[in-house]
Amino acid sequence: MHASSHSWMVWWKQVLQDPSSMATLVPSSRFLASAMARAARINEQSFVIELGPGLGHITSGLLAAGARGDHVVALEVQPSLAKMMSIRHPSVRTFAVDARYMNFLQRDLNLPPAHAVVSSLGLRNMDNATVEHILRAGRAALRDDGV
């Protein structure tokens, strides 16, 4: 089976098992990925934290914009999607962890403050307390001039 077909199977399996855990029924497009990378002013020096990478379409856009794989850390709460991310983008450090814990991961791995935190999380599907926690963690993860 082709890797792309397997990726879609993993995606749809997750959608069918727990639809509320998915931000969307369709993975992000390359156009959205490119726009997000431009908005975050990504380059080869950028250290990026990506929240909810799913199958890695936004990750592909970050890498295409010049981000180095070893400068991208992806947090995907769904273990099956995190595993797929690790296969699709082996240079990116991918962790099956809730986005609320990005600061602990950043501290425990001695990661630098991020140039950007990009997110594909379905924040509208989350309760207000969870959204606030993620937003506070994201701000704390950034360097002073981060986006």
Side-chain angles (χ1 to χ4, degrees):
M1 178 180 297
H2 189 268
S4 179
S5 298
H6 183 66
S7 296
W8 278 96
M9 287 177 57
V10 170
W11 178 269
W12 280 109
K13 182 177 178 185
Q14 186 61 45
V15 167
L16 293 172
Q17 284 180 339
D18 187 7
S20 67
S21 73
M22 305 299 283
T24 180
L25 295 178
V26 180
S28 301
S29 74
R30 60 186 160 100
F31 304 108
L32 176 61
S34 178
M36 287 177 75
R38 273 194 316 277
R41 299 183 312 272
I42 300 301
N43 61 53
E44 67 181 23
Q45 302 302 317
S46 301
F47 175 72
V48 183
I49 297 174
E50 182 180 7
L51 307 177
L55 296 177
H57 292 98
I58 301 300
T59 313
S60 295
L62 297 171
L63 298 173
R68 291 179 21 195
D70 63 338
H71 284 191
V72 177
V73 171
L75 309 182
E76 173 55 61
V77 73
Q78 300 299 332
S80 61
L81 295 176
K83 181 178 178 183
M84 187 57 56
M85 261 293 296
S86 294
I87 293 167
R88 287 191 74 191
H89 297 292
S91 65
V92 172
R93 292 176 281 181
T94 302
F95 299 91
V97 66
D98 189 303
R100 291 177 287 184
Y101 305 114
M102 75 180 92
N103 303 128
F104 298 111
L105 186 70
Q106 196 174 20
R107 181 198 65 211
D108 292 349
L109 297 177
N110 198 30
L111 300 174
H115 169 80
V117 175
V118 298
S119 173
S120 296
L121 296 175
L123 297 175
R124 290 180 159 238
N125 296 338
M126 298 178 187
D127 63 81
N128 289 340
T130 299
V131 171
E132 285 299 318
H133 192 145
I134 291 169
L135 293 176
R136 276 193 308 275
R139 284 189 292 272
L142 290 169
R143 61 189 204 186
D144 290 339
D145 64 344
V147 292

